[in-house]
Amino acid sequence: MRVLVTGGAGFIGAHTCRALAAMPEVGNVTVLDDLSSGSLANLDGVEADIVTGSILDRDLLTDLIAGVTHVIHLAARPSVPRSLADPLASHAVNATGTLHLLEACRASRPHVILASSSSVYGDRPEPRKHEDLPARPLSPYGAGKLAAEAYALAYAHSYGLPVLPFRFFNVYGPLQTAGHAYAAVIPAFVSAALRGEPVPLHGDGGQARDFTYVRSVTEVLTDAAARQVTSAKPVNLAFGTRVSLRHLMDLLAEIVGRVVEPVSLPPRRGDIRESQASSRLLRELFPDVRPVSLEDGLRTTVAWFEKGRVPGVDAEVGMPV
Ligand code: NAD
């Protein structure tokens, strides 16, 4: 296998590259990343060819894809609030960038896995989001991800491209950064709690998420690539857990061993009340996958933040990332 990972210097991308590089059947890993939110430090110690560039550079994409058998497409401008601030930039990378990538794959037809998002479900009232529900994105980010997965499936239908679009839910773990305006909830909570500061809580804390530890995600991605799994519809990549932000705060307090207080902030525009996956299709396609529990994943994440570890060293010291 020769694998191109777009967005490979990002949080999920770097873990994916590390897992791929350890697989005997993988001959080469190439990363394409513009380093807009990713970092080369995330790839310390990972055997990969790193190309700094954008998925909006069509010539570069064509060159890179000609040499690979698999593409794992993770490059994106992530975050709902970021897309609200600049919807055109979000669309350019997440929707148009994905279309460029698919077009570059049309001739040689590598196996393509891509990252869509639970945000495509928007505020659908059903407590468990299953893949047959009509999508109803609330944000430009969700709309762009819906376009990306729809294009991927259209390329499968129209040109026989083998594709597997995944809808990630709330992925967390080491390497996911806090301290910026668009930080995800777990790194924002963990870093505040460790500094003894109140955690930033938007809304009443009753909103619920289906948190997925990053290793559970990379296990599915690498298995899907190795077995060239395809699907005629997007597949939720989450395990159907329902955790409110209040409960997350309590669990975090137990792990860090001190009281965790919230600082109440107004609800965020585009925020979704209930985001819980149906994992039926995922479990059908990947019957062997065993997700890491929230408690174990959160402990590892806290340990990573506490020790301020250099990302590349984690694997060497036996951190189960
Ligand atoms: P991330 O920001 O850490 O990774 C995204 C990577 O894409 C970064 O390294 C960034 O530099 C790179 N990138 C951005 N624009 C690019 C461009 N034009 N060309 C090349 N590279 C570019 O975010 P992540 O959490 O690792 O997310 C990975 C993928 O998963 C994204 O597609 C994201 O939308 C999706 N996703 C993540 C979550 C989550 O909970 N983390 C949830 C749903 C979907």
Side-chain angles (χ1 to χ4, degrees):
M1 290 164 66
R2 294 187 308 281
V3 191
L4 173 68
V5 182
T6 72
F11 156 53
I12 301 172
H15 284 286
T16 304
C17 290
R18 193 176 297 277
L20 286 167
M23 289 165 70
E25 59 268 57
V26 173
N28 173 266
V29 178
T30 301
V31 169
L32 172 61
D33 200 301
D34 71 354
L35 305 180
S36 52
S37 58
S39 143
L40 290 179
N42 287 342
L43 289 166
D44 270 1
V46 179
E47 211 173 299
D49 296 331
I50 300 170
V51 179
T52 305
S54 173
I55 55 165
L56 296 174
D57 180 341
R58 297 183 62 184
D59 292 338
L60 179 59
L61 274 179
T62 306
D63 281 356
L64 292 176
I65 285 168
V68 301
T69 54
H70 294 71
V71 177
I72 301 183
H73 175 43
L74 303 172
R77 263 176 85 90
S79 126
V80 166
R82 212 169 163 206
S83 77
L84 290 163
D86 190 347
L88 293 184
S90 178
H91 181 90
V93 177
N94 299 353
T96 308
T98 299
L99 182 56
H100 287 337
L101 177 113
L102 294 165
E103 185 58 13
C105 290
R106 186 138 74 98
S108 58
R109 291 209 292 255
H111 180 255
V112 179
I113 294 173
L114 71 148
S116 178
S117 160
S118 58
S119 61
V120 304
Y121 292 113
D123 64 350
R124 290 219 58 96
E126 296 79 359
R128 259 178 206 275
K129 319 300 177 205
H130 64 79
E131 294 87 346
D132 293 326
L133 288 173
R136 200 156 75 191
L138 294 181
S139 63
Y141 173 74
K145 285 291 177 182
L146 184 61
E149 62 179 42
Y151 270 125
L153 295 174
Y155 268 65
H157 186 80
S158 307
Y159 308 116
L161 189 66
V163 303
L164 179 56
F166 278 119
R167 291 176 177 166
F168 296 173
F169 280 58
N170 285 69
V171 187
Y172 71 97
L175 301 188
Q176 195 176 29
T177 53
H180 56 91
Y182 304 119
V185 60
I186 287 191
F189 276 22
V190 170
S191 82
L194 287 176
R195 289 196 311 271
E197 292 171 6
V199 302
L201 183 66
H202 292 271
D204 64 2
Q207 58 274 51
R209 296 289 178 263
D210 194 342
F211 291 108
T212 319
Y213 187 59
V214 66
R215 180 152 51 93
S216 307
V217 172
T218 58
E219 273 176 20
V220 170
L221 295 181
T222 51
D223 184 29
R227 293 192 290 120
Q228 306 223 15
V229 177
T230 58
S231 173
K233 59 184 173 188
V235 180
N236 291 337
L237 207 177
F239 295 89
T241 50
R242 184 186 182 284
V243 178
S244 73
L245 299 192
R246 288 267 170 201
H247 178 72
L248 180 67
M249 280 172 44
D250 292 346
L251 187 58
L252 187 56
E254 246 177 77
I255 292 172
V256 300
R258 65 169 77 126
V259 176
V260 172
E261 298 281 3
V263 54
S264 288
L265 301 169
R268 284 208 287 217
R269 263 189 309 155
D271 210 11
I272 292 164
R273 186 77 188 163
E274 294 278 333
S275 182
Q276 187 189 13
S278 157
S279 60
R280 195 187 49 79
L281 183 54
L282 180 77
R283 289 179 199 268
E284 259 172 46
L285 293 170
F286 302 93
D288 297 332
V289 64
R290 298 282 171 270
V292 174
S293 71
L294 178 63
E295 184 167 353
D296 288 350
L298 200 54
R299 272 188 201 287
T300 308
T301 307
V302 168
W304 183 79
F305 267 91
E306 248 173 349
K307 298 193 173 126
R309 285 204 163 119
V310 180
V313 178
D314 290 346
E316 288 163 32
V317 296
M319 183 166 260
V321 295

